[in-house]
Amino acid sequence: MISGRNVLDRQLLRGGDKMDYPLLWVTLILLAFGLMMVYSATVSGKEMLVIKEQGKIVASLPYYYLQRQMIFVGAIGVLCMAAFGVRMSLWKQLTPYLVGISVAMLVAVLFLGVQAGGARRWLSLGIVNLQPAEMFKVAVIMYLASFLTRRVDILLHFKKVWYVAWLPALGIVLIYLSGDLGSVVIIAGLTVTLLFLGGLRLKWFISAIAFGAVAVTAAIITTPYRLRRVLAFRDPLADPYGDGFQLSHALSALANGGWLGKGLGNSLERFYLPEIHTDFILALIAEELGIVSVLLMIGVFAWMVWRAFSIGKQARDLELYFSAYVAKGVGIWLGMQSFFHIGVNIGLLPTKGLTLPFISYGGSSLLVTMAAMTLLLRIDYENRRKMRGFRI
C-alpha cells in the first residue's frame, strides 16, 4: 500500500520537473516563423545570393540563407539544451570568464574584424562570422547581476557607482570604435535600467539618461553619415535614392501591405530594400502579412518581456537574487532590441542596423537570443523547484 507521504513526494517531484512550456513554445514558434520569413526575403529579390563571373550571373542560390539559418537554429539549439542543464549558481561562477572572453573579442574585432557597411563588427571564424557586440549584451547582463548581488550598497554612494559602471563603459567604448552605435545605445540603456532596478537613485538615473542623450547626439553630429541618416529620417522622400532609400522603401512596404498584407511570398520591396532579411525584416512581414501581424508580433514581444519580469520577481521573492537580475536583464534587452528594430522599420527612429530577435537572419543574433531564453527558462525551472522544496 502506498503511503500518503510517498504520493506527495512523487507529486512534488513531477511538479518540480516542469518548466514554462508556454514561453518555450512561443520561442519555438518565433524561430520557425523567422525561418519562413528569411526564406521569403531571400528566395528571390535583392538579397538572394548570386554568383558572378566577369560581371555576369552564372548561378543563383535561392535556399542559401534558409539553409544556413536552419543550421544555426539546429546547432545553437543543441548547445542550448546542454546549457539548460547548467545551474545558475555555476553560471554566476563562470561570469568573469564569459566577460573576459567577450571583452577580448571586442578588442580583437577592432584589429582583425571584417569591415562592411562602414563598420568593423564581425570576427571571421571561417564558415561563420561572429559579432562580439552581440555576445557582450549577454555578458553585461550576467556581470551586472553578479555585481548587484554582491555590492548593491555602492549604488547609494555617488563616488562608488563607477565601480560597477566601468566594465559596461569599456565595452561601450570598444563597440563605438567598431562603428556600431545601435548596440552602444542598447547596452547603455540596458546597463542604466538594470542599475535603476537594483536601487540606483532616481536623480542619478535621470542624469545618466540625459548624459547618454547628449553623447549620442554628439556622436551623430560629429559623424557625417550618421547625421545624413538622421536628416533623411526627418523626410526620407527628400532623398529617396540616397540616404532616405531604405526608410522610404520600408514605409512603402507598410503602405503596400495594408491591414492584411499581400500574401506570403508576394512582397515587391524585397527586390529593392537592402538588408530586408536582417535589419528590415519587419517591413517584409508588414508587406506580406499586414499590419495586423505586426501588431500581433508586438503583443508577443510585450508578453515575453512581461514574462521575463514575472520570472525575475518570483526569483527575487525566493531570494535567488542573481537569477532575478538576469531575468530582468533579459526582459530589458529583449524589449529594447525589439522596440528599436520595430521603430526603425515603421519610421519612428533613424536607421540603426539592429536585428529583430528570433526572426532576423544571422548566427550571432540567434545565439544571443536563444542563449537568453535558455537562461530565462532555467531560472523559471529553478524557481519552480525551490517552491516545491528541492535544493537548487
Side-chain angles (χ1 to χ4, degrees):
M1 182 175 180
I2 302 175
S3 68
R5 175 66 180 174
N6 290 336
V7 171
L8 178 61
D9 289 343
R10 293 196 317 193
Q11 290 175 344
L12 288 171
L13 181 61
R14 288 197 299 270
D17 286 338
K18 290 181 179 179
M19 65 170 66
D20 191 336
Y21 287 108
L23 182 60
L24 175 62
W25 277 109
V26 168
T27 301
L28 294 176
I29 291 171
L30 283 176
L31 290 171
F33 179 71
L35 290 173
M36 181 178 72
M37 297 314 302
V38 167
Y39 169 73
S40 183
T42 58
V43 68
S44 63
K46 187 175 182 63
E47 297 301 333
M48 183 179 68
L49 184 66
V50 296
I51 300 175
K52 296 182 179 180
E53 291 183 3
Q54 298 179 347
K56 296 182 179 180
I57 297 176
V58 296
S60 60
L61 303 175
Y63 307 110
Y64 175 80
Y65 290 106
L66 173 64
Q67 291 170 346
R68 285 179 64 87
Q69 192 79 337
M70 291 177 67
I71 293 172
F72 291 150
V73 170
I76 296 170
V78 171
L79 293 176
C80 288
M81 285 189 288
F84 180 79
V86 179
R87 301 186 309 275
M88 291 304 298
S89 58
L90 182 55
W91 282 121
K92 184 178 180 180
Q93 296 175 23
L94 293 174
T95 294
Y97 303 100
L98 297 175
V99 170
I101 292 171
S102 65
V103 171
M105 291 172 62
L106 289 176
V107 174
V109 78
L110 296 177
F111 302 97
L112 306 174
V114 178
Q115 188 165 358
R120 193 182 294 272
R121 304 179 186 179
W122 294 271
L123 278 176
S124 177
L125 302 181
I127 58 174
V128 296
N129 291 331
L130 195 63
Q131 191 171 356
E134 293 293 324
M135 310 299 111
F136 189 73
K137 292 173 184 176
V138 173
V140 79
I141 290 173
M142 299 185 71
Y143 162 77
L144 291 172
S146 177
F147 200 105
L148 290 173
T149 57
R150 294 179 287 108
R151 296 292 308 278
V152 69
D153 58 293
I154 70 169
L155 298 181
L156 301 177
H157 306 282
F158 183 76
K159 294 182 179 180
K160 295 182 179 180
V161 170
W162 69 271
Y163 291 173
V164 67
W166 74 266
L167 183 70
L170 174 62
I172 286 170
V173 170
L174 293 173
I175 293 170
Y176 177 76
L177 292 176
S178 73
D180 188 358
L181 184 59
S183 292
V184 165
V185 174
I186 293 290
I187 293 170
L190 167 62
T191 299
V192 174
T193 306
L194 196 54
L195 290 178
F196 177 68
L197 294 178
L200 185 69
R201 293 183 177 179
L202 179 60
K203 62 180 180 180
W204 297 346
F205 172 73
I206 296 174
S207 298
I209 294 296
F211 174 79
V214 172
V216 170
T217 302
I220 293 172
I221 293 175
T222 57
T223 310
Y225 78 90
R226 292 194 182 113
L227 182 58
R228 291 196 302 269
R229 283 184 180 180
V230 172
L231 295 176
F233 157 73
R234 295 175 58 185
D235 186 9
L237 296 180
D239 188 15
Y241 298 103
D243 293 304
F245 185 83
Q246 287 180 303
L247 183 53
S248 61
H249 280 278
L251 295 176
S252 178
L254 288 170
N256 291 341
W259 286 104
L260 300 178
K262 299 175 67 67
L264 190 65
N266 292 326
S267 169
L268 296 177
E269 289 300 332
R270 67 182 176 185
F271 294 96
Y272 306 99
L273 185 55
E275 309 298 336
I276 197 169
H277 62 316
T278 53
D279 302 345
F280 285 91
I281 201 163
L282 187 89
L284 176 72
I285 295 171
E287 185 176 16
E288 294 193 345
L289 302 179
I291 296 176
V292 170
S293 296
V294 173
L295 294 175
L296 178 61
M297 180 164 294
I298 292 173
V300 170
F301 280 117
W303 177 83
M304 296 180 80
V305 171
W306 169 81
R307 190 70 195 104
F309 274 83
S310 297
I311 292 172
K313 180 181 181 301
Q314 191 176 61
R316 184 201 64 189
D317 293 341
L318 294 169
E319 299 183 350
L320 301 173
Y321 298 112
F322 175 73
S323 296
Y325 285 121
V326 170
K328 292 177 181 179
V330 169
I332 296 167
W333 164 74
L334 182 62
M336 292 185 66
Q337 183 90 9
S338 55
F339 170 78
F340 278 112
H341 179 95
I342 294 169
V344 167
N345 277 248
I346 65 176
L348 184 64
L349 298 169
T351 55
K352 295 182 181 297
L354 293 171
T355 57
L356 185 63
F358 307 103
I359 310 297
S360 294
Y361 171 82
S364 296
S365 177
L366 272 179
L367 177 60
V368 171
T369 52
M370 293 176 69
M373 296 313 297
T374 301
L375 289 173
L376 195 58
L377 288 167
R378 176 69 198 189
I379 292 167
D380 177 74
Y381 171 79
E382 292 188 359
N383 288 350
R384 293 167 187 255
R385 286 185 64 82
K386 186 168 184 179
M387 285 191 295
R388 289 166 173 82
F390 290 86
R391 293 186 61 186
I392 303 301

